[in-house]
Amino acid sequence: MTNVSLSVLEQKQDFIRRHIGPDASEQSAMLETMGVSSLDELITQTVPADIRLPAPLQMGGARTEVETLAYLKSLAQQNQVFRSHIGMGYSNTFTPHVILRNVLENPGWYTAYTPYQPEIAQGRLEMLLNFQQMTLDLTGLDLASASLLDESTAAAEAMALAKRVSKNKKSNTYFVADHVHPQTIDVVKTRAEAFGFDVIVGAWNTAGEHDVFGALLQYPGTTGEVNDLAEVIAAVQAKKGIVAVAADIMSLVLLKAPGQMGADVVLGSAQRFGVPMGYGGPHAAFFATRDAYKRSLPGRIIGVSKDTSGNVALRMAMQTREQHIRREKANSNICTAQVLLANMAAFYAIYHGPQGLKTIANRIHRLTSILALGLQQGGLKLANSSWFDTVLVAVDDKSAVIEAAQARGINLRLDVSGHVGISLDETTTATNVNELFDLLLGESHNASVQVLDQQVIDAAGVIPANLQRDTEFLTHPVFNRYHSETEMLRYIKRLENKDLSLNHSMISLGSCTMKLNATAEMIPVTWPEFGQLHPFCPREQAKGYTAMMTELSDWLINITGYDALLMQPNSGAQGEYAGLLAIRKYHESRGDAHRNICLIPQSAHGTNPASAQMASMKVVVVACDTDGNIDLNDLREKAESMADQLSCLMVTYPSTHGVYEETIREVCDIVHANGGQVYLDGANMNAQVGLTSPGFIGADVSHLNLHKTFCIPHGGGGPGMGPIGVKQHLAPFVAGHAVVDMDGEAKDNGAVSAAPYGSASILPISWAYIAMMGSQGLKHATEVAILNANYLTQRLKEHFPVLYTGRNDRVAHECILDIRPLKEASGITEMDIAKRLIDYGFHSPTMSFPVAGTLMVEPTESEAKVELDRFADTLIAIRQEIAKVEKGEWSLEDNPLVNAPHTQQNVMGEWPHSYSRETAVYPLPSVAQNKFWPTVNRIDDVYGDRNLFCACVPMSEYE
Ligand SMILES: *Cc1c(COP(=O)(O)O)cnc(C)c1O
């Protein structure tokens, strides 16, 4: 018998060595290149001693994949999956299996980043364009974005848009109809309070009576009623107000589009188009408005442009409206925003097509009418006289109904006094409706779905004729040609093939932390026990979720060194906003409401100033010195001179320059000494976990990007989770929720997201990561992230100047390559390098953030030495190509850099260039082994913005 080790320890660490790219011998080899004897020595050289944690993390040991999944399954089984008829913007749905497996469960789709390099993102850009087209068709408006975080935050964005574009400049008041979903009213009120707007909540049909800059209506209303909104919309607009309508996407299949009733903005959740409820998320929100307001639209817009060969090519349009350019003047702070879920919803529309969607919507509506008729014939009164899928039923003994419903495993809506609400969805069957009859009419009733069905068919519909859709939708061929599964499968695959994601090669986007999203971490996400819970179901049905989230919170509290954690914000930027609101409320509670200055270093991420603006703070920029560090003198001078009004400092650590600033404790002290709070942007936590922590350093609040540090995949631009950790003194001021009683948080603090725990269904990913790494594994991951970054720096620094380094000339977990001197000498730009990397099969590092003319490289711990070397060899080869341009061997007008990327089409037929085809597309032997072909040439940004076109391209354009 061979002598195999049965050491449990070894098995337990199995996941750690799979998550971490370089093995022990590779690590030694890398350390040797750097002249360092051990990982410990490197860390001592790199991380300032005064911020090193005195004690190890307390997660315990690593668990195996099998143990982790078994434990998560046991938690999942503590969730009770009731049939939820709660509605309120969340419905059961069937995720078509071809989409479930080939999109949601497919790393080709879920590991990509936001399409910053559009030439290798045409697949998801095409799907997002389909999402926009679907939005346009269903809403009846001119211009749509892709996509927002949830319906309630989309409504808050609509309010902000109204304020920007309304001609009623005098009014500071926004009207919200009381038939809007309660969580949306909550989120809008929170946002209004932060902006200093007044909110009137009143009956929807009184909106026109007020002097307001805008109004929000719901369609159908939260009670289920389908109202003709046209007159009220016109009345508000007559007083120069902007009207937004939050609409149910499935109802729009049958109902007149709100755009046709005159709405200025139409928004809503695309969840019920095939995205599981997931106890609150993630889901995509849609948002459409008039063409005239295009410059005010929040979030991303995908637009059609051309590439250098004149072919149709897609890209993100009008980026100049966004925070990374306009900072505190941006339309919104939205960065990560649910791309994967928007893609799923659009695929759902393609899968069913307009006819299939009509069948689904009609079926839902017919069953609802059967339910309504049966209940009425049985003597019950409905609060609404029209409906799409929801009725409110008056009940005498509500608690008896609730009890009986629970006994049958049914959830009804309970928050309307004297009534229960019932919403149906595409999964509801005739049997379910019969069961609802049994429940509400008693067992001896004689309501029968079959008999009632005939009566419903014979009767006039409850949707008034003028509110029925009489326009076509989804007429574009894309929604009408993939209705066999073979065709659908191939369409999904065809688009996937156009995009470079982590299953092809390393994506070294600095600040984005594109680490491994392990398969074992992803598996629980699509378990029904996590997927099918309604966010407003009774808490006792979500015991498994509560247990999982409590454990995850405790771990994150330990990792961050804070005292409490809020699991609500569904992106990093949303976390910033939530954290700044907590700071604001804290100051207010101490009679310091006037503290409204937010100091932000020059180098900060654009979301920081954009979030500060949303919290009505005044942004004051703090300078950085020539080494890229916060200029302490400037900070001290500003903090002291503004001490009376100082609210906080927002600082990223390690800095966005990729350096552990030695003075971080002093920075915190200066701010505190002047009465301010410290917001530490946690996007760079991958360089902190286990070595230091924001709480230990002295900060008061941080968001974590669970989709960076804690392995939630980026989904091509979302989902994400941005929980915030806070010190004790801020804990009473974090967000609450109007519908769900959350432990510990004050209900009336106001919500920042639609769902109490944000995108709860992706939290098992972070839970599993931490469980499988354990305390030591997590710390080791941080150390190797630092090792990998310093190794790359070591290999690249003779070829490209590294802009900033910290102590002992080390970088943290990322490094900035300065392309400006090269550009000066050769005319080749950082953009040319980014595009040339595509020819070599790589995604570019982060371009021109935080410094214009640079590339910021973050390898993460998950990349093995072989991949790091391949990447370094590639950049060095590109440097040699640049040298040829410098020496005049290639002209600046015709060389493989400025012509990059090259497509298959380019290398066929005539070859007009001064370099060879091989140089163009197989520049290194390793490239030929695993060639990634971009499907378009370099895309013309200017053309796209000048000729803004944001809907599906007519088929003729492709011919
Ligand atoms: C990614 C990032 C953010 C924003 O996070 P999102 O989840 O995309 O909203 C903020 N700050 C920094 C430094 C980041 O890298």
Side-chain angles (χ1 to χ4, degrees):
M1 237 183 168
T2 48
N3 183 12
V4 291
S5 162
L6 291 180
S7 158
V8 175
L9 189 67
E10 213 161 279
Q11 290 174 32
K12 297 251 186 215
Q13 301 201 334
D14 210 40
F15 178 79
I16 299 176
R17 75 172 174 79
R18 289 182 195 284
H19 174 84
I20 292 177
D23 64 18
S25 67
E26 287 181 326
Q27 290 177 27
S28 314
M30 288 156 71
L31 287 164
E32 201 171 315
T33 336
M34 291 154 50
V36 176
S37 64
S38 70
L39 200 48
D40 276 347
E41 187 185 333
L42 175 69
I43 302 305
T44 308
Q45 284 183 0
T46 308
V47 186
D50 70 333
I51 60 164
R52 289 292 298 275
L53 289 180
L57 295 177
Q58 287 158 23
M59 267 90 266
R63 306 186 202 187
T64 66
E65 293 191 15
V66 171
E67 280 173 345
T68 298
L69 288 176
Y71 182 78
L72 271 176
K73 192 75 189 180
S74 76
L75 291 185
Q77 282 164 349
Q78 291 176 34
N79 291 332
Q80 289 174 281
V81 182
F82 276 33
R83 166 158 285 285
S84 280
H85 292 292
I86 299 170
M88 302 173 81
Y90 300 93
S91 303
N92 293 299
T93 177
F94 289 125
T95 309
H97 292 110
V98 65
I99 299 173
L100 179 74
R101 176 156 296 182
N102 298 290
V103 181
L104 180 57
E105 297 180 338
N106 178 353
W109 282 94
Y110 67 66
T111 66
Y113 202 73
T114 303
Y116 289 139
Q117 297 296 330
E119 293 84 1
I120 44 174
Q122 291 295 299
R124 56 193 189 279
L125 285 164
E126 179 170 329
M127 268 322 287
L128 292 174
L129 200 68
N130 293 338
F131 180 83
Q132 289 177 183
Q133 181 69 58
M134 172 183 95
T135 304
L136 296 177
D137 286 3
L138 289 170
T139 59
L141 277 166
D142 316 326
L143 187 75
S145 66
S147 50
L148 298 183
L149 292 167
D150 58 44
E151 176 164 319
S152 302
T153 57
E157 296 296 341
M159 172 175 68
L161 178 143
K163 187 65 184 171
R164 286 193 289 278
V165 305
S166 168
K167 300 247 157 58
N168 183 351
K169 296 292 174 204
K170 300 185 315 291
S171 172
N172 204 36
T173 305
Y174 194 65
F175 179 89
V176 181
D178 62 7
H179 72 170
V180 170
H181 292 317
Q183 72 274 17
T184 300
I185 297 181
D186 192 9
V187 170
V188 170
K189 275 184 168 170
T190 307
R191 195 78 73 93
E193 189 190 327
F195 276 131
F197 304 154
D198 297 318
V199 172
I200 297 174
V201 179
W204 69 276
N205 52 5
T206 64
E209 296 167 14
H210 305 279
D211 177 32
V212 293
F213 67 82
L216 174 67
L217 310 173
Q218 185 106 34
Y219 180 70
T222 192
T223 60
E225 192 83 50
V226 185
N227 301 305
D228 187 348
L229 306 176
E231 261 182 46
V232 171
I233 291 174
V236 176
Q237 288 167 341
K239 295 184 171 174
K240 302 197 169 86
I242 299 293
V243 183
V245 175
D248 174 274
I249 192 167
M250 188 63 84
S251 76
L252 295 181
V253 169
L254 300 187
L255 298 180
K256 182 173 189 170
Q260 286 190 307
M261 293 190 232
D264 299 293
V265 176
V266 182
L267 60 96
S269 169
Q271 178 264 316
R272 68 191 301 185
F273 273 23
V275 182
M277 289 189 288
Y279 201 41
H283 317 129
F286 61 87
F287 192 101
T289 188
R290 296 176 189 279
D291 190 62
Y293 305 146
K294 64 186 171 207
R295 307 229 166 261
S296 291
L297 197 68
R300 298 199 175 103
I301 311 172
I302 308 309
V304 180
S305 185
K306 288 185 186 307
D307 72 0
T308 49
S309 303
N311 298 315
V312 171
L314 313 179
R315 55 185 273 283
M316 296 195 283
M318 294 195 301
Q319 291 283 291
T320 46
R321 305 159 306 121
E322 292 205 61
Q323 6 74 28
H324 54 270
I325 310 271
R326 298 201 67 207
R327 304 180 81 82
E328 69 269 23
K329 296 192 186 68
N331 287 341
S332 79
N333 68 345
I334 292 164
C335 187
T336 289
Q338 316 289 27
V339 166
L340 186 69
L341 304 312
N343 284 338
M344 283 180 69
F347 271 127
Y348 176 96
I350 290 168
Y351 177 85
H352 289 295
Q355 281 312 323
L357 290 177
K358 276 185 214 168
T359 304
I360 293 169
N362 272 311
R363 214 182 139 275
I364 295 171
H365 181 57
R366 193 155 120 203
L367 276 176
T368 311
S369 296
I370 289 169
L371 175 71
L373 192 62
L375 294 177
Q376 285 170 318
Q377 288 181 0
L380 293 179
K381 285 211 160 45
L382 304 185
N384 40 334
S385 56
S386 63
W387 52 79
F388 163 65
D389 68 354
T390 298
V391 289
L392 261 192
V393 190
V395 288
D396 291 335
D397 188 350
K398 193 162 162 180
S399 45
V401 173
I402 295 171
E403 202 173 309
Q406 300 258 320
R408 290 172 182 274
I410 292 175
N411 288 325
L412 304 174
R413 178 173 179 182
L414 303 175
D415 66 328
V416 183
S417 141
H419 293 76
V420 293
I422 309 176
S423 293
L424 305 192
D425 55 65
E426 68 165 314
T427 70
T428 312
T429 61
T431 311
N432 300 142
V433 173
N434 274 326
E435 228 182 327
L436 289 166
F437 287 145
D438 293 347
L439 171 66
L440 288 154
L441 298 175
E443 303 278 347
S444 59
H445 72 85
N446 53 12
S448 140
V449 169
Q450 282 65 33
V451 175
L452 290 162
D453 191 23
Q454 199 51 51
Q455 296 178 20
V456 163
I457 292 170
D458 295 343
V462 293
I463 300 174
N466 69 324
L467 291 184
Q468 291 174 21
R469 174 174 282 272
D470 60 2
T471 50
E472 293 297 305
F473 66 102
L474 305 185
T475 55
H476 190 276
V478 74
F479 298 102
N480 295 282
R481 53 167 60 167
Y482 305 115
H483 295 159
S484 80
E485 183 160 324
T486 303
E487 283 298 307
M488 184 73 188
L489 180 68
R490 289 180 189 154
Y491 183 53
I492 292 172
K493 182 68 186 168
R494 194 155 77 236
L495 297 186
E496 180 194 337
N497 284 345
K498 294 182 179 192
D499 291 13
L500 190 144
S501 41
L502 280 177
N503 62 0
H504 181 84
S505 56
M506 150 178 181
I507 300 179
S508 60
L509 282 167
S511 213
C512 303
T513 313
M514 300 293 288
K515 55 161 68 176
L516 170 73
N517 316 116
T519 308
E521 292 155 7
M522 293 300 293
I523 282 177
V525 173
T526 48
W527 286 345
E529 301 94 324
F530 284 130
Q532 290 176 10
L533 261 61
H534 191 289
F536 307 154
C537 74
R539 292 270 315 262
E540 65 267 17
Q541 290 169 23
K543 284 202 177 112
Y545 258 118
T546 305
M548 184 265 294
M549 292 192 297
T550 305
E551 290 179 12
L552 179 58
S553 293
D554 288 347
W555 287 338
L556 295 175
I557 284 170
N558 180 232
I559 287 169
T560 54
Y562 285 121
D563 301 312
L565 192 113
L566 172 75
M567 202 66 94
Q568 190 172 99
N570 44 13
S571 76
Q574 191 80 274
E576 293 171 19
Y577 165 68
L580 293 177
L581 288 190
I583 290 177
R584 207 180 115 123
K585 282 189 173 9
Y586 166 76
H587 285 313
E588 278 167 10
S589 77
R590 295 157 47 96
D592 280 345
H594 53 278
R595 289 191 173 274
N596 74 337
I597 286 180
C598 179
L599 298 174
I600 301 185
Q602 240 166 18
S603 60
H605 195 267
T607 53
N608 290 187
S611 299
Q613 181 271 338
M614 285 167 63
S616 281
M617 291 182 183
K618 190 167 162 260
V619 174
V620 173
V621 175
V622 179
C624 290
D625 63 20
T626 47
D627 295 329
N629 297 320
I630 292 179
D631 181 335
L632 277 193
N633 290 330
D634 191 50
L635 173 69
R636 194 174 288 110
E637 197 267 308
K638 282 177 175 147
E640 282 170 6
S641 68
M642 299 171 189
D644 286 348
Q645 285 125 50
L646 183 62
S647 173
C648 60
L649 165 82
M650 291 186 91
V651 58
T652 306
Y653 199 78
S655 72
T656 54
H657 289 156
V659 173
Y660 292 95
E661 289 181 49
E662 301 274 339
T663 54
I664 186 69
R665 279 188 183 279
E666 208 178 334
V667 164
C668 294
D669 290 345
I670 292 172
V671 173
H672 287 145
N674 290 287
Q677 295 281 294
V678 176
Y679 186 102
L680 193 147
D681 180 327
N684 289 347
M685 271 304 286
N686 214 45
Q688 289 195 40
V689 178
L691 297 180
T692 181
S693 78
F696 184 65
I697 287 169
D700 302 288
V701 43
S702 299
H703 72 264
L704 297 171
N705 297 70
L706 297 189
H707 47 300
K708 293 178 181 170
T709 318
F710 296 95
C711 297
I712 292 174
H714 288 84
M721 264 299 277
I724 55 169
V726 294
K727 288 268 172 73
Q728 198 57 52
H729 65 279
L730 292 178
F733 305 103
V734 301
H737 197 272
V739 181
V740 176
D741 255 324
M742 299 162 69
D743 295 328
E745 286 87 16
K747 211 180 172 87
D748 44 352
N749 275 351
V752 293
S753 303
Y757 306 104
S759 297
S761 68
I762 51 177
L763 294 174
I765 302 169
S766 299
W767 189 98
Y769 171 62
I770 295 174
M772 295 189 295
M773 295 298 277
S775 307
Q776 282 180 22
L778 287 173
K779 176 168 171 243
H780 192 47
T782 310
E783 292 168 344
V784 177
I786 295 167
L787 170 64
N788 279 2
N790 279 285
Y791 174 69
L792 267 186
T793 304
Q794 177 79 20
R795 283 216 53 198
L796 292 171
K797 69 183 177 196
E798 323 158 18
H799 307 278
F800 300 89
V802 172
L803 190 56
Y804 299 116
T805 51
R807 61 209 313 259
N808 301 305
D809 244 8
R810 298 289 175 212
V811 298
H813 64 311
E814 57 194 6
C815 72
I816 300 179
L817 305 178
D818 193 355
I819 310 302
R820 291 169 300 184
L822 264 179
K823 191 163 155 182
E824 188 78 8
S826 67
I828 296 296
T829 66
E830 70 282 3
M831 174 80 90
D832 296 326
I833 297 175
K835 302 308 176 191
R836 184 61 177 152
L837 275 164
I838 298 174
D839 286 334
Y840 283 81
F842 280 109
H843 193 288
S844 168
T846 299
M847 216 175 68
S848 291
F849 169 77
V851 182
T854 64
L855 296 173
M856 180 157 63
V857 184
E858 180 183 3
T860 83
E861 71 278 13
S862 297
E863 297 300 341
K865 179 168 179 293
V866 46
E867 185 74 351
L868 299 177
D869 283 334
R870 230 168 50 79
F871 182 69
D873 292 343
T874 295
L875 275 175
I876 293 165
I878 290 177
R879 177 65 189 90
Q880 285 156 2
E881 292 179 349
I882 298 170
K884 289 192 180 172
V885 179
E886 282 175 279
K887 286 188 229 132
E889 278 178 51
W890 287 331
S891 72
L892 186 56
E893 292 70 41
D894 185 33
N895 63 66
L897 292 133
V898 295
N899 292 333
H902 299 81
T903 63
Q904 272 181 342
Q905 196 66 39
N906 294 149
V907 290
M908 298 196 309
E910 250 175 63
W911 183 253
H913 303 296
S914 58
Y915 51 96
S916 72
R917 290 170 215 252
E918 287 73 15
T919 303
V921 297
Y922 291 149
L924 287 176
S926 61
V927 176
Q929 286 162 21
N930 188 23
K931 177 66 187 170
F932 188 90
W933 289 103
T935 53
V936 294
N937 290 120
R938 202 177 296 190
I939 299 175
D940 188 337
D941 283 322
V942 177
Y943 178 89
D945 278 353
R946 286 227 182 104
N947 303 276
L948 192 66
F949 188 83
C950 303
C952 284
V953 180
M955 293 313 289
S956 55
E957 291 277 317
Y958 287 104
E959 277 146 22

